[in-house]
Amino acid sequence: MDDWSEWAGRTETQTDRADPGVLARWCATLDRAAPLDGTAPLGFHWCLCLPDAPTAMLSPDGHPRRDLGPRSFLPPITLPRRMWASSRMEFLQPIRTGDAIERRSRIISVTHKHGASGELIFVDLAHDVLAAGELALREVQSIVYREAAPKNAPPSPPLPGIGSFDPAGWDAIRTIAPAAPLLFRYSALTFNSHRIHYDLAYATAKEGYRGLVVHAPLTATLLLELARRELGEQALKTFSFRGVSPAIAGETLHLAMRSDGEAIELGAFAADGRRVMQARADR
């Protein structure tokens, strides 16, 4: 396995603008009204400062091709399956419509591990997002690269079991079934061409999933929306999430939240109780 640790410390800066049209489409995708005060909802930064690789420069999975050239910020890791594993964020001030946006990114580390599914490489990234020249949020994102699924491996995640989600102990619950149009719109907003989110044949035959995969940041966005419904706009100071198991388009997803003082626990669960995502926040 190649050693990519020397890529730690590499930096990239991207610029954008918090366009009102993009904000309107973000809110329409989530079936919600835009904030009346001109601020952008938490999570909106995920559709800003996006990779603008030409279509001809995309890899077979739809992500921008990685190589040793100057345009490649991430190392050219050859493991074929890529997932957004986790993020933790600190919200310092709101992004407002029309703000000039600058995102300063840095590779913190590249780490090799070995798990039950084989070789894993984690790339940890630090993002500082500035709005109108002021630091608006900090995020540390972890991306994981994995080996191809064995040809005889069962589909992931497992077929639904006989259990059920237990709502006891949760203060607020929202139940949805993320459909393909929601995944398509979120992919468009975030300029994400990863084929596991829209190409059923690729997702099932090539990557071994049971169906189209719900984006990890989309599930996180839905949890942020649950918090907004219960607590109001811009109520959170921090938010972190970790993907536990894939969510599949069209299948029931239970979003849950409970509070203990200023600390908030959130989670996403499949119909049979399988945990899809765990998350925490502070207000």
Side-chain angles (χ1 to χ4, degrees):
M1 186 67 66
D2 292 321
D3 181 11
W4 301 109
S5 58
E6 69 273 13
W7 284 62
R10 182 170 291 214
T11 62
E12 177 185 67
T13 299
Q14 294 175 290
T15 59
D16 206 339
R17 184 169 296 278
D19 183 80
V22 177
L23 176 58
R25 290 187 286 276
W26 175 271
C27 292
T29 296
L30 299 173
D31 292 313
R32 56 154 296 174
L36 297 176
D37 62 358
T39 61
L42 300 182
F44 179 73
H45 70 285
W46 286 324
C47 62
L48 299 172
C49 299
L50 305 174
D52 55 0
T55 301
M57 296 299 294
L58 296 179
S59 297
D61 66 356
H63 278 294
R65 188 181 307 155
R66 302 180 302 278
D67 55 34
L68 296 173
R71 287 180 59 90
S72 182
F73 172 55
L74 294 171
I77 295 166
T78 55
L79 295 179
R81 292 194 291 171
R82 168 178 166 170
M83 293 185 65
W84 189 325
S86 65
S87 274
R88 61 182 187 271
M89 285 148 275
E90 180 183 8
F91 301 110
L92 302 173
Q93 68 174 24
I95 295 173
R96 298 184 177 276
T97 303
D99 278 352
I101 305 297
E102 180 178 320
R103 189 180 74 179
R104 301 170 182 171
S105 302
R106 175 175 57 89
I107 297 178
I108 301 173
S109 62
V110 183
T111 308
H112 292 205
K113 295 185 179 181
H114 192 88
S117 61
E119 294 291 336
L120 305 169
I121 298 181
F122 288 85
V123 180
D124 290 338
L125 308 169
H127 303 296
D128 287 349
V129 179
L130 286 74
E134 300 292 331
L135 186 61
L137 67 96
R138 295 188 178 98
E139 178 176 11
V140 174
Q141 175 191 359
S142 183
I143 300 171
V144 60
Y145 296 88
R146 301 185 297 157
E147 294 181 13
K151 293 185 181 299
N152 59 348
S156 176
L159 289 169
I162 60 174
S164 61
F165 167 68
D166 183 4
W170 295 98
D171 300 332
I173 296 169
R174 181 187 177 203
T175 300
I176 65 170
L182 175 60
L183 272 62
F184 170 82
R185 283 182 151 199
Y186 198 84
S187 287
L189 281 167
T190 57
F191 208 48
N192 184 347
S193 303
H194 198 346
R195 292 167 64 183
I196 62 173
H197 305 306
Y198 67 87
D199 185 338
L200 182 61
Y202 177 89
T204 55
K206 187 69 174 178
E207 298 225 11
Y209 293 106
R210 278 201 292 106
L212 296 178
V213 180
V214 180
H215 318 59
L218 173 53
T219 302
T221 297
L222 295 172
L223 290 175
L224 285 170
E225 275 296 292
L226 177 62
R228 177 195 67 84
R229 291 182 179 205
E230 298 298 316
L231 305 174
E233 300 279 2
Q234 309 294 329
L236 302 183
K237 294 180 179 178
T238 68
F239 177 72
S240 61
F241 72 84
R242 182 174 71 87
V244 179
S245 179
I248 299 300
E251 297 185 359
T252 298
L253 190 63
H254 299 285
L255 309 168
M257 185 184 87
R258 57 190 171 202
S259 302
D260 182 8
E262 298 302 302
I264 300 166
E265 180 184 357
L266 302 104
F269 301 85
D272 62 0
R274 171 177 55 86
R275 185 184 285 269
V276 168
M277 179 171 285
Q278 59 186 37
R280 298 196 65 84
D282 291 287
R283 53 179 172 167

